[in-house]
Amino acid sequence: MCGIFAYTGGRNAKPILLEGLSMLEYRGYDSAGLYLSDQGVTRTPGAVTELRAKATGESSAKSGLAHLRWATHGEPTEENAHPHTDCDSNVYIAHNGIIENFNELKQGLIARGHTFKSKTDTEVLAHMIEEELKADKSFEDAVVDTLKKVHGTYGLLISYAKEPETIITARMGSPIVLGIGKGERFIASDATPIVKHTKKMVFLEDGDIAIVTPDSHRIRTLKEASVDRKEEEISWDVGEASRGGYPHFMLKEIFEAPEVLENALRGRLIVNEGRAKLGGLESVAKQLEKLDRLMITACGTAYYAGLIGEYLIEDLAGLPVEVDVGSEFRYRKPIIGKKTAVLAVSQSGETLDTLEAMREGKRRGALTLGVVNAVGSTIARETDAGVYNHAGPEIGVASTKAFLSQVTVLALIALFLGRARSLSEEDGKKIVKALMELPELSKKVLAKSDAIKALALKYKDARDFLFIGRRYSYPVALEGALKLKETSYVHAEGCAAGEMKHGPLAMIDNKFPTVVVIPMDSVYQKTLSNMIEIKTRKGPVIAIATEGDVRVAEIADDVIYVPKTEEQLTPILSAIALQLFAYHFAAEKGLNVDRPRNLAKSVTVE
Ligand code: G6P
């Protein structure tokens, strides 16, 4: 999820590139770089301010590439910053995405004498194109033949020193927008840095490769030499463009669910063995085998993901799990033995209470693990081992896509631990299959956004909400309530459906709606009884139910249906529905959904 920007035309490229790059900075990056044909590459940790300070020389180049990195493979250092180049410094590449088979490609290239200067997956592409060019292929053929050997996702910018006017760009999974000006072309990962120069754009499709010069562009695929892609005249301003046309980042990020789920799963499933392959845990595999207890610690939404992790890991791996919020764990004198691991779940990797809880675990001798989104963050650096989310930067203060990713990664960890313990191959395969279906199923929930908006409108005057669920849906109910209260400032309370009768039921009347998370699972009948108890007290009910469940529709006032999946993975689909509900409810009130009052994205104080 890096930011990329390229220019080719009649003007001086350097100021255009630096300005464009700074407009992409809103996503929060960790390192930056620039390639200009007359100056070569300038790279630095930090972002555009640091890059400007470093790229001091005068340049008259009329084309170039710029990149903002959000690290995935390799720490955010100067060497790992893009653009990357080949052995002869002829080919320059800026990349947004992940090359899955880079390791095997890299071994082959090293064996054939190539020298690598970075730890990134991207650099292999520069060396592969170098080889193709040495086989006397054209720039275009060299790129096409290289991409034929690559698996993974990419939004690519490629420059060749011998043809400085031409930039080749390619899209697979990571967005590419081409801006068409008079005698100039712009290429970027989103429309933000382009709108200032031109509103005429082409949005590349997956598999597209564009050969771009100042006056022309031809779009092709690996198979076809030319394909038609329509030019669009967009009416967005800069703010809208940075949100990809969505009114808020929160909605944009909810809609990133399919990609986020793909990114969490990519390269991590061994289908025919029903296993998960987690490279980040390999170094501690022996210790994990001997583990007798796992303590998960996290804050906010990440804590609720942790609670789902508890159900998953106990269910699939038979390993006792405890979950605690960071601010409690660190002060409660946790009992930690030699076979205890402490797992910190954190999007930012910087939340102070989670970090200190993890450090407390370490002081007491635990093996420390992390499920972290921000590569190179403090928690990622200080834990013994861990798994990255690769969910990309999250801008909305209320966490959405990171939660989906955290639950997915925890499911992978449960599968990983489970197959090393008691989980049968057959049951492992069931989970693997269901995980692979998730990205597609998530699209079906997203398709209900308008219907959910209508529902949010219907309930817009309610000041209180109860959210209930059982087993896997219990933490989902807690998270659904948190999402609603933090974005809308209404009172929303989550509780275990079985606990309702021990207090919350007293609040219920015809003005107090309850959201019942009730997938068709092993506790369905029991949740159904709770739903009836609410209806008996005249409480309005919104049910999040499994497609085809007619029974629920007879009882509830409103139903949001989500597709069927394995019980362990229902939280992901139900959560998307609840995220959409919270978003529309708050947006209808005209609130600042992306920055709720009194809250911060990263809480680095106690
Ligand atoms: C803040 C954010 C939440 C997030 C929590 C934990 O409260 O507003 O969205 O869940 O911090 O953040 P982390 O970065 O550790 O996941």
Side-chain angles (χ1 to χ4, degrees):
M1 299 262 185
C2 302
I4 57 177
F5 185 45
Y7 174 78
T8 179
R11 293 190 276 162
N12 190 342
K14 187 174 166 186
I16 297 174
L17 289 174
L18 284 170
E19 189 201 36
L21 211 55
S22 65
M23 295 175 92
L24 284 169
E25 230 178 0
Y26 68 91
R27 283 154 53 133
Y29 295 93
D30 52 45
S31 42
L34 183 69
Y35 165 71
L36 293 162
S37 51
D38 59 350
Q39 284 196 329
V41 163
T42 312
R43 299 178 300 180
T44 176
V48 184
T49 315
E50 288 76 6
L51 186 63
R52 262 184 212 281
K54 206 167 171 192
T56 45
E58 277 294 307
S59 164
S60 55
K62 302 278 189 284
S63 75
L65 319 177
H67 186 271
L68 279 169
R69 181 162 185 253
W70 207 79
T72 57
H73 291 68
E75 302 285 298
T77 58
E78 179 181 337
E79 302 73 56
N80 291 332
H82 299 215
H84 291 285
T85 189
D86 62 324
C87 296
D88 302 334
S89 303
N90 266 330
V91 179
Y92 293 86
I93 296 204
H95 170 213
N96 171 21
I98 298 171
I99 305 300
E100 274 168 48
N101 57 337
F102 86 100
N103 223 346
E104 58 190 85
L105 294 168
K106 188 170 174 174
Q107 296 320 316
L109 287 158
I110 290 172
R112 293 194 294 281
H114 292 263
T115 314
F116 279 79
K117 297 174 279 294
S118 76
K119 292 203 166 55
T120 63
D121 50 333
T122 305
E123 196 185 335
V124 295
L125 299 175
H127 295 279
M128 288 167 77
I129 296 171
E130 172 195 348
E131 286 196 344
E132 302 290 354
L133 287 167
K134 281 190 175 146
D136 258 356
K137 292 186 185 168
S138 66
F139 180 25
E140 179 177 338
D141 287 347
V143 171
V144 169
D145 289 347
T146 294
L147 292 181
K148 283 181 182 160
K149 296 174 197 149
V150 164
H151 305 300
T153 53
Y154 46 78
L156 284 176
L157 301 174
I158 312 165
S159 211
Y160 178 32
K162 295 185 182 166
E163 295 176 27
E165 282 207 331
T166 308
I167 294 169
I168 298 186
T169 179
R171 174 190 165 138
M172 183 61 79
S174 309
I176 289 283
V177 187
L178 175 64
I180 301 154
K182 286 202 177 73
E184 53 186 8
R185 296 285 187 277
F186 308 82
I187 309 163
S189 43
D190 70 41
T192 327
I194 303 179
V195 279
K196 183 184 167 197
H197 302 284
T198 174
K199 303 250 169 184
K200 215 191 263 182
M201 301 192 190
V202 178
F203 293 83
L204 262 54
E205 294 178 14
D206 274 352
D208 284 356
I209 302 165
I211 296 89
V212 184
T213 67
D215 297 300
S216 71
H217 60 270
R218 176 168 50 85
I219 303 175
R220 58 164 297 164
T221 63
L222 287 180
K223 288 197 188 118
E224 290 171 82
S226 175
V227 289
D228 258 351
R229 298 284 176 250
K230 72 172 189 317
E231 284 178 26
E232 290 177 42
E233 190 82 32
I234 62 147
S235 56
W236 303 338
D237 60 22
V238 173
E240 273 174 300
S242 67
R243 297 186 301 265
Y246 287 96
H248 295 100
F249 282 110
M250 182 177 171
L251 190 61
K252 175 175 184 269
E253 286 162 1
I254 297 171
F255 270 82
E256 279 170 19
E259 190 185 339
V260 162
L261 298 173
E262 292 272 12
N263 284 350
L265 297 171
R266 178 165 297 111
R268 290 172 168 171
L269 293 172
I270 310 176
V271 182
N272 55 1
E273 293 176 25
R275 283 179 196 279
K277 190 175 90 190
L278 296 171
L281 297 184
E282 261 160 33
S283 62
V284 295
K286 284 259 138 26
Q287 283 155 283
L288 292 178
E289 265 170 40
K290 295 195 195 108
L291 227 55
D292 64 11
R293 199 156 58 108
L294 180 68
M295 299 172 100
I296 300 181
T297 186
C299 299
T301 289
Y303 167 68
Y304 294 137
L307 280 181
I308 298 171
E310 175 181 18
Y311 285 81
L312 278 162
I313 294 166
E314 293 194 342
D315 192 2
L316 299 182
L319 178 67
V321 181
E322 256 178 68
V323 195
D324 216 338
V325 287
S327 53
E328 287 304 311
F329 183 93
R330 57 186 289 203
Y331 294 119
R332 81 170 159 94
K333 298 199 170 64
I335 314 298
I336 288 172
K338 282 207 180 73
K339 297 179 184 168
T340 308
V342 171
L343 169 65
V345 182
S346 174
Q347 187 283 128
S348 61
E350 303 293 349
T351 302
L352 188 78
D353 281 324
T354 309
L355 172 63
E356 287 301 336
M358 183 276 291
R359 284 178 176 160
E360 179 62 20
K362 194 170 231 180
R363 273 192 289 275
R364 288 172 182 262
L367 169 74
T368 56
L369 307 170
V371 171
V372 173
N373 192 28
V375 173
S377 56
T378 312
I379 295 176
R381 280 187 277 113
E382 291 192 17
T383 40
D384 296 311
V387 185
Y388 280 124
N389 290 101
H390 299 320
E394 191 176 60
I395 313 272
V397 165
S399 181
T400 52
K401 65 173 181 174
F403 174 78
L404 305 176
S405 179
Q406 285 158 348
V407 176
T408 308
V409 168
L410 287 164
L412 286 170
I413 293 177
L415 181 64
F416 180 88
L417 296 172
R419 290 291 284 116
R421 288 160 183 259
S422 51
L423 190 71
S424 70
E425 183 175 323
E426 193 189 335
D427 287 342
K429 280 182 175 164
K430 258 197 231 164
I431 298 293
V432 168
K433 182 169 174 282
L435 281 167
M436 286 166 62
E437 287 167 358
L438 275 181
E440 272 315 300
L441 296 184
S442 71
K443 289 183 192 163
K444 297 196 174 166
V445 187
L446 293 172
K448 296 183 191 277
S449 183
D450 284 345
I452 295 175
K453 183 177 176 178
L455 207 59
L457 259 177
K458 176 175 169 186
Y459 288 91
K460 73 178 187 341
D461 296 326
R463 285 292 309 160
D464 307 274
F465 281 87
L466 182 65
F467 284 70
I468 61 168
R470 278 175 187 262
R471 205 166 177 232
Y472 282 97
S473 298
Y474 162 45
V476 177
L478 298 178
E479 169 60 10
L482 174 64
K483 226 40 346 126
L484 189 66
K485 72 180 126 191
E486 66 182 334
T487 53
S488 301
Y489 323 145
V490 297
H491 164 232
E493 209 170 306
C495 99
E499 274 292 294
M500 196 184 65
K501 277 184 284 204
H502 299 287
L505 191 57
M507 300 187 289
I508 296 301
D509 62 21
N510 61 358
K511 290 194 182 61
F512 198 132
T514 300
V515 177
V516 184
V517 187
I518 180 171
M520 286 242 194
D521 58 9
S522 56
V523 285
Y524 172 80
Q525 283 302 339
K526 300 208 179 294
T527 316
L528 199 69
S529 305
N530 297 131
M531 200 161 115
I532 293 165
E533 283 153 15
I534 292 167
K535 278 312 312 168
T536 313
R537 273 87 189 170
K538 303 202 165 31
V541 166
I542 304 165
I544 313 295
T546 306
E547 248 155 32
D549 182 352
V550 285
R551 190 73 215 285
V552 160
E554 285 163 9
I555 303 162
D557 297 79
D558 295 284
V559 188
I560 304 170
Y561 282 115
V562 298
K564 189 165 176 51
T565 178
E566 290 294 330
E567 176 163 5
Q568 291 88 349
L569 303 177
T570 51
I572 293 174
L573 301 178
S574 311
I576 297 174
L578 295 182
Q579 290 172 354
L580 285 169
F581 184 74
Y583 168 77
H584 288 302
F585 195 84
E588 282 305 315
K589 289 184 187 295
L591 296 170
N592 188 351
V593 188
D594 287 332
R595 285 174 179 264
R597 68 184 184 201
N598 311 338
L599 300 180
K601 181 72 188 155
S602 192
V603 182
T604 52
V605 289
E606 276 196 64

